[in-house]
Amino acid sequence: MISEWMDQSNKTVVFTGAGMSTESGLPDFRSALQGMWRNKDPKYYASTYALTHARAEFIQFYRQRITGLLAHRPHVGHHLLAEWERRGRVQGIITQNVDGFHQAAGSLRVASLHGNLNRLFCMGCQATYPAEQFLTDAGIHCQCGGFIRPAVVLFGEALPDHEVRLAEELISGVELLIVLGSSLQVSPANLFPLLAKEQGAKLVIVNWEPTEFDEEADWVVNGKKIGDWLQQVHRELNQK
Ligand code: NAD
């Protein structure tokens, strides 16, 4: 079914969330609440509040996330999406993920709505640095005296203009939008699937558990791992 829709579509875009990268070994927010990060809501640490008022906890949280990121790699699903883009099957990706795995796998048109955990920037002079530097105490203090923080969008911050513009370009005229691994609870990123739907696009949601947006979707796949689902669709496309 989906491979047929992909054949018919002149513009297919993929929208990904943290569930896209769990098969690489990175926890999503849901699993984080079930044990990682000491059962404290990651939305607390990943916030402008923690950056300002709980700096030590903020640093500890992001050191843990950066250490996890550096230890993991894109999986077969990320690589298939990159291959689909090369073959003209997919025109781009809108992602809420900060791991950079789509780009590492070779995807070119990626709107990273929530920034990038692989980079740091100084809050004083805006100089940028690689993520590894965050792991040492010396690495978080810029020569200008500013604090060096991860280049991710925190809860309480606006999305980066250029990434939103790319996402809007991708959504414009989209005929098929495939959501992979997002609970679709984080706003405003979760508005993009609805924007696609408003334009008459077919909406497919592939997520382990149901989402609040399932009623809007033309096709919902629950209880299946994204990597397995992508490989299945890939085989169907190759049989054509
Ligand atoms: P979420 O954690 O709210 O939802 C992830 C969804 O993916 C869940 O509903 C889960 O059931 C599903 N899922 C998990 N593994 C799956 C698999 N293998 N196959 C199919 N479904 C699977 O994530 P979200 O909607 O992206 O929103 C939370 C926020 O978390 C985002 O802002 C994002 O920036 C941030 N985040 C990113 C990363 C990352 O970059 N890898 C990791 C954790 C959190």
Side-chain angles (χ1 to χ4, degrees):
M1 169 71 100
I2 306 302
S3 56
E4 277 163 32
W5 286 0
M6 284 179 75
D7 264 347
Q8 291 157 9
S9 164
N10 292 306
K11 187 169 185 183
T12 299
V13 172
V14 176
F15 179 94
T16 63
M20 179 75 214
S21 295
T22 55
E23 288 163 65
S24 285
L26 295 180
D28 59 14
F29 270 6
R30 199 182 153 76
S31 6
L33 282 171
Q34 285 164 358
M36 288 287 293
W37 301 319
R38 299 180 189 172
N39 293 324
K40 209 163 189 183
D41 190 342
K43 286 182 186 163
Y44 164 76
Y45 296 110
S47 68
T48 49
Y49 177 86
L51 173 68
T52 313
H53 301 290
R55 181 70 59 87
E57 286 181 291
F58 178 88
I59 292 170
Q60 196 189 11
F61 173 73
Y62 275 105
R63 281 191 173 155
Q64 212 171 334
R65 286 195 73 183
I66 289 170
T67 304
L69 178 64
L70 296 175
H72 294 96
R73 298 282 170 272
H75 63 76
V76 62
H78 295 99
H79 288 287
L80 285 179
L81 292 178
E83 184 177 337
W84 290 1
E85 184 182 359
R86 282 193 294 276
R87 288 197 198 173
R89 291 278 190 189
V90 158
Q91 276 60 54
I93 296 176
I94 302 173
T95 189
Q96 299 170 90
N97 292 346
V98 294
D99 51 42
F101 283 179
H102 289 303
Q103 294 91 333
S107 290
L108 297 176
R109 289 193 90 197
V110 183
S112 296
L113 293 176
H114 293 165
N116 194 333
L117 191 56
N118 290 289
R119 275 189 293 110
L120 311 172
F121 73 91
C122 169
M123 290 172 67
C125 68
Q126 310 297 312
T128 58
Y129 300 95
E132 298 87 87
Q133 197 170 314
F134 201 74
L135 303 179
T136 64
D137 286 343
I140 57 178
H141 301 293
C142 186
Q143 282 180 345
C144 80
F147 174 65
I148 297 175
R149 57 163 276 193
V152 297
V153 177
L154 301 174
F155 286 97
E157 291 180 326
L159 304 186
D161 281 347
H162 56 288
E163 304 294 336
V164 170
R165 267 199 300 278
L166 176 56
E168 284 170 351
E169 261 175 47
L170 288 171
I171 285 294
S172 171
V174 65
E175 294 182 10
L176 174 62
L177 185 83
I178 303 174
V179 175
L180 299 176
S182 176
S183 61
L184 295 173
Q185 283 172 2
V186 176
S187 176
N190 63 359
L191 296 178
F192 284 99
L194 290 183
L195 273 175
K197 194 67 203 156
E198 272 171 27
Q199 290 182 43
K202 283 201 170 70
L203 177 63
V204 174
I205 298 181
V206 182
N207 200 60
W208 187 260
E209 60 195 355
T211 75
E212 280 173 31
F213 287 44
D214 287 358
E215 277 183 16
E216 306 290 333
D218 299 275
W219 191 262
V220 175
V221 179
N222 290 146
K224 194 157 194 144
K225 285 188 176 174
I226 289 162
D228 293 343
W229 184 81
L230 285 170
Q231 289 179 82
Q232 181 192 322
V233 174
H234 190 67
R235 279 193 296 274
E236 285 170 24
L237 289 170
N238 281 342
Q239 279 162 12
K240 287 179 183 295

